[in-house]
Amino acid sequence: MDPLEAIKVTFFQECEEQLSELESGLLAMEQGETDSETVNAVFRAVHSIKGGAGAFSLEPLVRFAHVFETTLDDVRAGKLAPDNNVVKVMLRAADVLADHVRAARDGGVVEEARSQELAAALEALNGAAAPASIVSEDFDDMPGLDFTPLTVSDDDGFGDDFGFTPLAAGIIDLEPEGPALRRWTVQLRPKNALYAKANETGLLLRELKRLGDIEVSIDGSELPGLAELEPEHAYLSWTIVLTTDRSQSDIQEVFEFVDGDCDLTITADQLTSSLPMMGEASIDEPFDVMALIQQARADVQAAPAAAIMAEILAAPAPAPVFAASAPSVPAPAAATATAAAGVAPDAAHGAAAQQATIRVDLDRVDRLIDLVGELVINQAMLAQRVTESGVPRSSNIAMGLDDLEHLTREIQDSVMAIRAQPVKSVFQRMPRLVREVAAMTGKQVRLVTEGEGTEVDKTVIERLTDPITHMIRNAIDHGLERPEVRVAAGKGPEGTVRLSAAHRSGRIVIEVSDDGKGIDRPRVRQIAIDKGLIEVDSNLSDEDVDNLIFMPGFSTASSVSDISGRGVGMDVVKRSIQGLGGRIAITSRPGQGSTFTLSLPLTLAVLDGMVVSVCDHTLVAPLTAIIESLQPKAQDVRAIGPDAYVIAIRDTYTPLIDVGAMLGYRTTPLDPTKGVALLVEGEGGARAALMVDAIQGQRQVVIKSLEANYRQVEGIAAATILGDGRVALILDVDNVVAARRREKARSDAKLAAAG
Amino acid sequence: MSKIVLTVDDSRTMRDMLMLALGDAGFTVVQAVDGVHGLEVLESMAMPDVIITDINMPRMDGFGFIEGVRKSERHRATPILVLTTESDSVKKERARSAGATGWIVKPFNPDKLIDAVRRVAA
């Protein structure tokens, strides 16, 4: 990776840290912790984000951060009291800032209206306290004046301000166009402070030399005698005659860092042709500061030692006596060095930080994905025709086709990777939500997240936020108990909500679990009865009762609470998950909490499948769900009801499901010994053996939504187009396994009721 | 022998950027994460030729750090550049009165940074 790009990755990681720092800081301020430590930490977070964003030219982010920072600076300076209103605005601003960061990272766009609204709100805070601009600060010292200073919005205040305050400089006229040599006289008298800050006259001279030819002369006339000489004081003055084609501001820039720490005059001499006026020293002599200093030192040392001793002994005598007698160094003549031609500084600008990312319209990526999908189908068709034509597998054509398949696969992976993103972007919104809901419900909640780096297709991610948000709200509002209830139940006062993501058998599984009271089954049952969702005498397993909460029109909250009840029930969550080709399941243990498990396809585009035949139909089973395939032996199959079978696979009885019968392709069950059983595992580890007529082979298939083109069909996840151009249905293995279990539960219940 | 630069910044991004630019220009870079750490590192490292420090940092800010360096017999003559996004003269003046040699305005490009280092490095 380009090192700069790597730093950018670091930057966004750091942004996330800063954002959470910002958030917790602001929340602490909301709780009244407005000590400077907290305020500074909050300020620093925004400041750092702005700083890094500036380095990467992330303009909208910089602009918003700047406004935010300005307000925080006022709080820091005590000009703005961080009362609840102010902190509330800032919390919302933190949200928008987070949106900006994520937009910058993920290439999204921040809702402009919201961003502007918050920026305006922040600015209003500034305005209310004290206008934030520098201009206005100047007027703060004049409280008597009755006017509002003009506030100058300083949007790019962090920009290059190598502007300078004019020193006592000579006035120059129009600068000649083009590089014309000009002679300047620079007079420099450093003060002690210049050296105290580790600036060096020698380095300034070196810088000047980069601009052109210089002749330097030193004036040591102010050097006191050794007795008075403070080793760290500045006594020397310098006169530099500079011949250069550079402008006065270039010269002045050399002295930027020592502005105020020296007396400086820069005057333009007459336009010159070439010859130095005072240059009696050899022109080729290299510029040597040390030589100048040696010279000055020698001059000082020339004073008779005895005189110095006498001076020291003659204690209270004032310094001027000796100073006056000290040999003064005649200003220009003492030492003059002419530098060789100035080194032209290679101003290789332009090569500024290159942007290593580009923003691409999502439509283009989607079009690419579609095309790759077609390519995969086409490649499969080609491969099939080649096979059909009887070309041996070892032939060049077949081998070429294998290579093509690899390439196709790689292209596909790469294209999918463009859209894959870590679920972090969704997970990161949750801590704030948890805090809000916790505050509203008066519960103590700790959020634990795991697997934030798990990647999934962008479309999936975008549509995950709402369901996860709702499930977390639900977990806190309905799942967790109040602190006192928890303590009474022997738990810690703080409840835990766990949000995790992981890749499991080709899907992404997201779990939201809490350690609360679990589902109150008698109550759920009663509500379902009251609402007419189930019969009074319905015989339901615990699992069935738990699943009632997904029924439309079900809501357990006795009053529609602020948080969970917004007309959105778990049924909506379930539907939106199903819309993504996913499933939702719940497990709950009374007193110990509940776990919602979402399982979603990683991508909505391709699938590795096992192509099978069932009653002249071609079906595809997702390869990831298949553990093994086997030919059942008659002695391994046992009937456990009129039309239910189990099969013994290595001493374990597994339900045997006749896919043809289940989908209604046939009414008489297939003789297990005539077909092939696919041992599959659904999420949660439930296994079943699916009976099919025959296996055709493995193939990568492009998923075409059945829902979008037809409607949702129980047991079928989607459809695809095969190499021969026919449409094949893709089995929803989990659904098939679960349906079998449900059916069994129902028939068991019936039996129990009958008996 | 390459010149040694100590960078003091709490932001990993900024430290990395400084490392990249300075490293490319042939400097040896030593890093510290805040003022306190900076002073600790200074005690144990070889004499740096230049120190670059951020201003806003936890534990000890840039002003405190600069003052600390200037109090040290060993390092008080070491040039210190402050990194600042604040262009207002107040911050800059405060850094200077603490003993900063010069400053680098963020965001900087590598040329600008190296130029500033070169200007103050003996």
Side-chain angles (χ1 to χ4, degrees):
Chain A
M1 199 192 287
D2 170 16
L4 207 62
E5 200 52 30
I7 295 177
K8 202 167 176 179
V9 171
T10 307
F11 165 65
F12 284 122
Q13 285 166 354
E14 217 175 358
C15 273
E16 294 304 335
E17 290 160 22
Q18 305 285 7
L19 285 171
S20 78
E21 189 104 328
L22 168 65
E23 203 174 303
S24 51
L26 285 174
L27 286 166
M29 285 169 70
E30 201 178 27
Q31 302 298 311
E33 288 175 42
T34 52
D35 53 295
S36 68
E37 192 66 18
T38 310
V39 175
N40 270 329
V42 165
F43 175 84
R44 247 192 337 265
V46 177
H47 179 77
S48 283
I49 291 174
K50 183 181 118 176
F56 293 108
S57 311
L58 307 170
E59 292 307 332
L61 176 55
V62 170
R63 271 199 303 276
F64 190 82
H66 180 73
V67 175
F68 201 168
E69 186 193 26
T70 309
T71 307
L72 282 168
D73 206 22
D74 280 355
V75 174
R76 203 168 61 146
K79 285 192 242 164
L80 177 64
D83 59 24
N84 254 353
N85 275 339
V86 170
V87 175
K88 281 224 157 59
V89 171
M90 287 185 174
L91 274 166
R92 285 170 59 213
D95 258 2
V96 174
L97 185 68
D99 290 349
H100 272 289
V101 166
R102 277 146 210 169
R105 180 189 60 198
D106 306 332
V109 192
V110 175
E111 208 184 306
E112 190 56 33
R114 189 154 172 252
S115 174
Q116 276 176 3
E117 179 205 325
L118 258 299
L122 286 171
E123 272 163 352
L125 291 179
N126 301 347
S133 75
I134 297 160
V135 177
S136 67
E137 276 170 14
D138 295 337
F139 291 99
D140 281 350
D141 297 328
M142 300 178 245
L145 292 178
D146 186 23
F147 64 89
T148 317
L150 251 181
T151 306
V152 180
S153 156
D154 183 19
D155 268 352
D156 54 355
F158 58 92
D160 188 339
D161 71 329
F162 276 80
F164 55 90
T165 323
L167 306 169
I171 294 154
I172 16 151
D173 300 320
L174 286 171
E175 230 160 274
E177 297 244 355
L181 283 183
R182 193 154 213 202
R183 191 201 291 266
W184 302 82
T185 301
V186 179
Q187 277 174 322
L188 174 69
R189 164 84 173 80
K191 298 177 186 168
N192 299 341
L194 184 146
Y195 298 110
K197 292 173 191 166
N199 273 302
E200 278 295 340
T201 310
L203 297 179
L204 296 172
L205 297 179
R206 190 179 69 185
E207 286 306 303
L208 280 178
K209 196 189 145 201
R210 289 167 67 93
L211 301 178
D213 287 357
I214 58 172
E215 303 154 25
V216 182
S217 48
I218 189 168
D219 177 3
S221 60
E222 285 177 51
L223 268 178
L226 200 51
E228 286 78 30
L229 189 124
E230 283 286 342
E232 298 198 348
H233 280 195
Y235 297 105
L236 300 174
S237 301
W238 310 73
T239 302
I240 304 107
V241 176
L242 168 68
T243 309
T244 182
D245 56 359
R246 308 289 283 269
S247 69
Q248 181 169 12
S249 57
D250 285 341
I251 301 171
Q252 231 137 16
E253 205 179 289
V254 169
F255 299 96
E256 187 192 14
F257 290 164
V258 296
D259 178 17
D261 292 338
C262 61
D263 296 327
L264 178 72
T265 57
I266 301 172
T267 44
D269 291 1
Q270 295 307 308
L271 219 59
T272 179
S273 46
S274 65
L275 270 182
M277 293 202 301
M278 294 172 279
E280 69 247 42
S282 153
I283 296 206
D284 292 322
E285 191 183 318
F287 166 65
D288 185 356
V289 178
M290 282 317 288
L292 290 172
I293 291 169
Q294 292 289 355
Q295 179 77 42
R297 191 180 289 158
D299 288 338
V300 174
Q301 280 164 352
I308 298 172
M309 288 312 289
E311 191 55 43
I312 292 167
L313 293 173
V321 182
F322 178 74
S325 66
S328 73
V329 186
T336 306
T338 305
V343 186
D346 62 320
H349 302 121
Q354 284 175 8
Q355 290 287 342
T357 54
I358 53 163
R359 293 171 66 143
V360 178
D361 199 348
L362 206 55
D363 286 347
R364 294 191 186 188
V365 177
D366 289 346
R367 169 111 185 97
L368 188 58
I369 287 174
D370 269 358
L371 283 174
V372 171
E374 298 298 321
L375 179 67
V376 170
I377 291 173
N378 220 282
Q379 185 264 328
M381 288 169 83
L382 186 59
Q384 188 160 340
R385 300 222 172 113
V386 168
T387 314
E388 281 164 9
S389 69
V391 176
R393 282 216 56 80
S394 58
S395 74
N396 284 343
I397 293 177
M399 289 192 324
L401 263 179
D402 283 349
D403 290 346
L404 180 64
E405 191 184 338
H406 277 127
L407 279 176
T408 314
R409 178 70 65 122
E410 265 181 48
I411 292 174
Q412 195 163 34
D413 288 349
S414 308
V415 171
M416 297 318 291
I418 296 177
R419 290 184 55 99
Q421 286 179 345
V423 291
K424 203 173 178 181
S425 58
V426 177
F427 278 25
Q428 271 163 340
R429 300 186 197 178
M430 299 307 148
R432 183 186 176 87
L433 172 85
V434 167
R435 274 190 287 269
E436 277 176 6
V437 179
M440 266 189 249
T441 53
K443 293 173 182 174
Q444 292 178 26
V445 191
R446 193 164 65 98
L447 177 73
V448 179
T449 55
E450 282 164 20
E452 292 165 318
T454 312
E455 288 197 337
V456 67
D457 189 86
K458 188 172 161 59
T459 333
V460 179
I461 286 200
E462 282 162 359
R463 291 161 67 180
L464 270 179
T465 310
D466 285 350
I468 292 181
T469 303
H470 194 80
M471 285 191 298
I472 286 187
R473 274 191 182 138
N474 222 51
I476 300 172
D477 199 21
H478 299 312
L480 294 182
E481 314 91 327
R482 309 192 138 272
E484 62 274 13
V485 180
R486 287 182 66 87
V487 172
K491 299 179 187 177
E494 188 182 60
T496 304
V497 172
R498 191 175 296 273
L499 174 63
S500 71
H503 282 159
R504 206 177 296 157
S505 56
R507 293 171 79 87
I508 181 168
V509 176
I510 292 173
E511 282 188 356
V512 177
S513 61
D514 65 71
D515 63 348
K517 56 182 180 282
I519 285 183
D520 184 349
R521 292 186 181 121
R523 195 158 151 257
V524 166
R525 200 189 148 85
Q526 191 53 50
I527 289 170
I529 292 170
D530 292 350
K531 300 203 170 183
L533 298 172
I534 54 169
E535 295 301 318
V536 180
D537 56 354
S538 297
N539 197 330
L540 300 174
S541 67
D542 286 351
E543 199 186 326
D544 291 337
V545 175
D546 292 348
N547 279 297
L548 286 175
I549 64 167
F550 293 116
M551 291 188 78
F554 186 92
S555 170
T556 51
S558 33
S559 68
V560 175
S561 75
D562 243 355
I563 300 123
S564 299
R566 279 191 186 149
V568 182
M570 288 306 286
D571 59 317
V572 176
V573 173
K574 186 175 187 177
R575 271 209 304 280
S576 61
I577 296 299
Q578 281 176 337
L580 284 170
R583 269 173 304 279
I584 185 166
I586 178 172
T587 56
S588 181
R589 299 175 70 183
Q592 291 181 35
S594 313
T595 300
F596 286 90
T597 307
L598 299 182
S599 149
L600 297 152
L602 288 182
T603 145
L604 309 174
V606 280
L607 173 89
D608 279 313
M610 177 83 85
V611 183
V612 298
S613 316
V614 177
C615 307
D616 301 332
H617 290 269
T618 303
L619 295 175
V620 178
L623 206 55
T624 48
I626 299 174
I627 299 163
E628 62 176 289
S629 54
L630 57 139
Q631 217 131 28
K633 295 188 189 76
Q635 67 268 26
D636 289 340
V637 180
R638 299 262 189 286
I640 54 160
D643 50 3
Y645 294 89
V646 291
I647 179 171
I649 299 173
R650 280 183 292 279
D651 301 333
T652 308
Y653 282 101
T654 309
L656 188 62
I657 301 167
D658 187 333
V659 176
M662 194 201 79
L663 293 176
Y665 291 156
R666 67 172 135 236
T667 45
T668 20
L670 175 72
D671 177 356
T673 57
K674 299 256 171 64
V676 180
L678 304 175
L679 181 61
V680 295
E681 187 176 65
E683 73 226 19
R687 291 187 176 193
L690 306 184
M691 278 307 302
V692 299
D693 295 22
I695 288 176
Q696 292 181 11
Q698 288 179 18
R699 204 156 302 157
Q700 190 170 53
V701 298
V702 178
I703 299 173
K704 301 282 180 190
S705 167
L706 197 59
E707 255 185 301
N709 299 307
Y710 178 54
R711 62 180 173 84
Q712 198 167 357
V713 178
E714 187 89 337
I716 299 297
T720 188
I721 302 167
L722 293 175
D724 57 9
R726 283 194 299 157
V727 172
L729 298 178
I730 300 172
L731 277 176
D732 186 342
V733 169
D734 293 295
N735 188 289
V736 170
V737 173
R740 171 72 183 86
R741 285 157 59 88
R742 276 201 299 278
E743 210 169 279
K744 182 175 173 296
R746 222 167 286 148
S747 61
D748 287 355
K750 264 183 227 152
L751 284 175
Chain B
M1 215 189 94
S2 77
K3 287 201 160 72
I4 302 172
V5 181
L6 169 68
T7 63
V8 187
D9 201 313
D10 58 323
S11 153
R12 205 159 65 236
T13 310
M14 213 39 79
R15 284 201 303 274
D16 286 358
M17 296 205 68
L18 289 168
M19 174 72 96
L20 179 66
L22 293 167
D24 282 354
F27 290 97
T28 301
V29 181
V30 179
Q31 298 181 325
V33 299
D34 59 35
V36 174
H37 187 218
L39 291 178
E40 280 166 17
V41 168
L42 266 183
E43 288 315 303
S44 55
M45 68 182 285
M47 275 290 278
D49 293 280
V50 176
I51 297 169
I52 299 176
T53 180
D54 190 24
I55 291 181
N56 288 291
M57 293 184 289
R59 294 214 289 170
M60 182 192 284
D61 65 12
F63 305 128
F65 171 71
I66 295 168
E67 279 160 12
V69 175
R70 289 288 174 249
K71 274 186 205 135
S72 142
E73 271 306 315
R74 186 163 171 243
H75 298 290
R76 65 200 190 101
T78 305
I80 305 174
L81 292 170
V82 291
L83 281 170
T84 172
T85 55
E86 280 118 321
S87 52
D88 67 280
S89 43
V90 181
K91 282 267 156 48
K92 224 181 273 175
E93 275 318 309
R94 221 183 124 194
R96 290 188 69 195
S97 65
T101 310
W103 53 89
I104 301 161
V105 178
K106 292 189 280 189
F108 53 82
N109 65 34
D111 295 339
K112 212 156 113 183
L113 170 74
I114 301 305
D115 193 57
V117 172
R118 187 189 47 71
R119 281 170 74 177
V120 297

